[in-house]
């Protein structure tokens, strides 16, 4: 496949638009109508674009509408979550083609299920895997793999199901969720914000100028590494802050404070928050203190980034009962910063990974098509 520069530009614009007429493509690509007409002929010949219908113009004339062709292909997004694996297959215009969900330890089978549901004639352009781990910057010719044992073994077990020769990219799961909030969630219309995820672990997705900030080592937003505790006579421990704020310690504190007359202590965060919602005093006190702790973490984020907006996500952070306490503690400790709850929920990571995969897939096609120019 060998395409002109204008054809590659029109392909990228068509993928972003989903469908468009030639005049619309000319406007979006900033090219002349004759140039776009030639580019569309190239793309149709390569089966990268196809006529998909007609649209009536204001003058009463009909214009041909184009969409992506069958050779444009598909991409795969994999969320290797702490309990579940979620997979989505998408066309390069973002259309959902396949999805599958299963247990974390069955990741390879979940990937195979999604791959089997993709159109047989659609080449797989790229795979993006979201992991709860640091993802080091990719180096030319280097095989990708999570940086630590947090996600390494489950990635290895999943990777056997991926077709050989397809580019694989890793991204931190919190960064993926931040992308979902930016484009489809609570941060739409905002160019700079922080996505603060609180659940089993803690993490921060940093978006500046509409782009995720990854850092020199791919470790930007690794809040678990903030020194804690930090006080006279107490030495900070490795990732002790995540241990303190994470869901396991939250449940342990609930068990320690739970009065006998209230029956068994909650075994899951969902049970704890449900009891707090029912007005149970002990549960409300634990959840209230948790909100204060998250508010203090948000104040630390604000002191460094001044993001203007913090989106709260994660299995405990996104609960509506946490929001007011975070807002109050942040207001007490720092300058005015808007705080809202996530609107993309548990699907945020795979949604963001799919958006990144689509972008990478379009890049893969245009770079391959321009290799001889």
């Amino acid at each position: 496949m060998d395409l002109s520069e204008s054809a590659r530009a029109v392909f990228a614009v068509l993928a972003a638009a989903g469908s468009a007429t030639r005049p619309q493509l000319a406007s979006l690509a900033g090219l002349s109508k004759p140039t776009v007409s030639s580019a569309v002929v190239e793309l149709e010949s390569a089966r990268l674009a196809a006529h998909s219908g007609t649209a009536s113009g204001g003058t009463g004339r009909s214009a041909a509408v184009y969409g992506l062709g069958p050779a444009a292909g598909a991409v795969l997004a994999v969320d290797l979550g702490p309990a579940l694996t979620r997979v989505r297959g998408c066309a390069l215009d973002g259309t959902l083609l396949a999805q599958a969900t299963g247990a974390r330890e069955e990741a390879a089978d979940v990937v195979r299920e999604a791959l089997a549901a993709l159109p047989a004639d659609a080449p797989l352009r790229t795979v993006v895997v979201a992991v709860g781990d640091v993802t080091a910057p990719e180096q030319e010719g280097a095989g990708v793999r999570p940086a630590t044992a947090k996600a390494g073994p489950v990635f290895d077990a999943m990777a056997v199901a991926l077709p050989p020769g397809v580019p694989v990219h890793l991204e931190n799961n919190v960064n993926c969720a931040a992308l979902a909030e930016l484009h489809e969630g609570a941060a739409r219309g905002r160019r700079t914000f922080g996505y603060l995820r609180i659940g089993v672990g803690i993490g921060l997705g940093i978006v500046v100028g509409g782009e995720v900030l990854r850092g020199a080592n791919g470790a930007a937003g690794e809040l678990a590494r903030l020194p804690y505790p930090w006080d006279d006579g107490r030495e900070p421990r490795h990732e002790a802050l995540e241990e303190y704020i994470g869901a396991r310690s939250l449940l342990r504190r609930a068990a320690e404070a739970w009065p006998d007359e209230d029956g068994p202590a909650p075994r899951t965060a969902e049970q704890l928050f449900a009891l707090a919602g029912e007005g149970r005093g002990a549960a409300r006190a634990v959840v209230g203190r948790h909100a204060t702790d998250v508010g203090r973490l948000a104040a630390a984020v604000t002191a460094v980034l001044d993001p203007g907006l913090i989106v709260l996500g994660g299995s405990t952070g996104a609960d509506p009962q946490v929001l007011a306490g975070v807002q109050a503690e942040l207001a007490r400790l720092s300058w005015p910063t808007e705080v809202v709850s996530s609107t993309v929920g548990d699907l945020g990571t795979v949604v963001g990974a799919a958006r990144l995969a689509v972008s990478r897939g379009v890049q893969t096609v245009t770079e391959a098509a321009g290799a001889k120019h």
Side-chain angles (χ1 to χ4, degrees), residues 226-364:
L226 284 173
Y228 178 86
W230 195 347
D231 199 359
D232 291 342
R234 295 197 293 175
E235 191 73 16
R237 303 188 315 277
H238 180 72
E239 298 189 351
L241 183 60
E242 181 171 76
E243 179 186 335
Y244 172 74
I245 293 184
R248 294 185 184 93
S249 291
L250 177 64
L251 291 172
R252 184 170 62 248
R253 288 194 292 276
E256 292 169 353
W258 206 255
D260 293 338
E261 59 268 24
D262 280 5
R267 301 288 298 273
T268 66
E270 290 77 13
Q271 290 177 358
L272 172 64
F273 280 86
L275 291 169
E278 294 170 5
R280 301 282 283 272
R284 290 185 64 183
V286 172
V287 169
R289 176 55 195 264
H290 184 59
T292 298
D293 290 334
V294 175
R296 292 172 182 174
L297 183 56
V301 169
T302 300
V304 175
L305 295 178
D306 186 22
L309 170 69
I310 291 179
V311 179
L312 297 177
S315 59
T316 66
D319 192 282
Q321 297 176 83
V322 170
L323 182 60
V326 174
Q327 291 170 330
E329 189 68 359
L330 179 55
R332 184 180 77 85
L333 293 173
S334 195
W335 41 83
T337 301
E338 185 181 0
V339 184
V340 299
S341 297
S342 166
T343 59
V344 297
D346 294 342
L347 293 178
T349 296
V350 74
V351 166
R355 180 170 285 274
L356 185 58
V358 165
S359 175
R360 292 276 198 170
V362 171
Q363 183 181 353
T364 296

Side-chain angles (χ1 to χ4, degrees), residues 6-18 25 43 68 92 362-363 366:
S6 57
R8 300 198 305 273
V10 169
F11 177 80
V13 166
L14 184 58
L25 290 171
L43 293 174
L68 295 183
L92 295 196
V362 171
Q363 183 181 353
T366 56

Side-chain angles (χ1 to χ4, degrees), residues 64-311:
V65 177
Y66 296 90
L68 295 183
V75 296
L76 202 70
V78 182
D79 170 19
L80 292 178
L84 294 176
T85 296
R86 293 184 172 91
V87 183
R88 284 192 170 194
C90 297
L92 295 196
D93 62 2
T95 301
L96 182 63
L97 301 175
Q99 56 184 335
T101 303
R104 176 181 171 93
E105 57 270 18
E106 298 170 354
D109 291 336
V110 181
V111 168
R112 291 187 184 100
E113 180 183 344
L115 286 171
L118 292 176
D121 60 345
L124 188 63
R125 297 298 185 180
T126 193
V127 178
V128 169
V129 183
V131 295
D133 200 352
V134 173
T135 57
E138 294 172 14
Q139 298 177 358
E140 191 71 29
V144 296
R145 193 177 185 277
T148 75
K150 282 184 177 180
V154 70
F155 174 84
D156 293 342
M158 177 279 302
V160 300
L162 298 177
V166 177
V168 178
H169 306 278
L170 291 182
E171 183 55 271
N172 177 267
N173 57 354
V174 180
N175 287 346
C176 287
L179 285 173
E181 297 290 352
L182 171 66
H183 293 287
E184 304 178 36
R188 278 180 296 184
R190 305 291 284 264
R191 300 278 294 167
T192 298
F193 69 96
Y195 170 77
L196 182 56
R197 173 177 281 183
I198 309 294
V200 174
I202 62 175
L204 177 70
I206 305 167
V207 175
V208 178
E211 300 289 337
V212 170
L213 179 67
R214 293 177 173 84
N217 297 297
E222 288 292 314
L223 298 180
R225 299 296 177 91
L226 284 173
Y228 178 86
W230 195 347
D231 199 359
D232 291 342
R234 295 197 293 175
E235 191 73 16
R237 303 188 315 277
H238 180 72
E239 298 189 351
L241 183 60
E242 181 171 76
E243 179 186 335
Y244 172 74
I245 293 184
R248 294 185 184 93
S249 291
L250 177 64
L251 291 172
R252 184 170 62 248
R253 288 194 292 276
E256 292 169 353
W258 206 255
D260 293 338
E261 59 268 24
D262 280 5
R267 301 288 298 273
T268 66
E270 290 77 13
Q271 290 177 358
L272 172 64
F273 280 86
L275 291 169
E278 294 170 5
R280 301 282 283 272
R284 290 185 64 183
V286 172
V287 169
R289 176 55 195 264
H290 184 59
T292 298
D293 290 334
V294 175
R296 292 172 182 174
L297 183 56
V301 169
T302 300
V304 175
L305 295 178
D306 186 22
L309 170 69
I310 291 179
V311 179

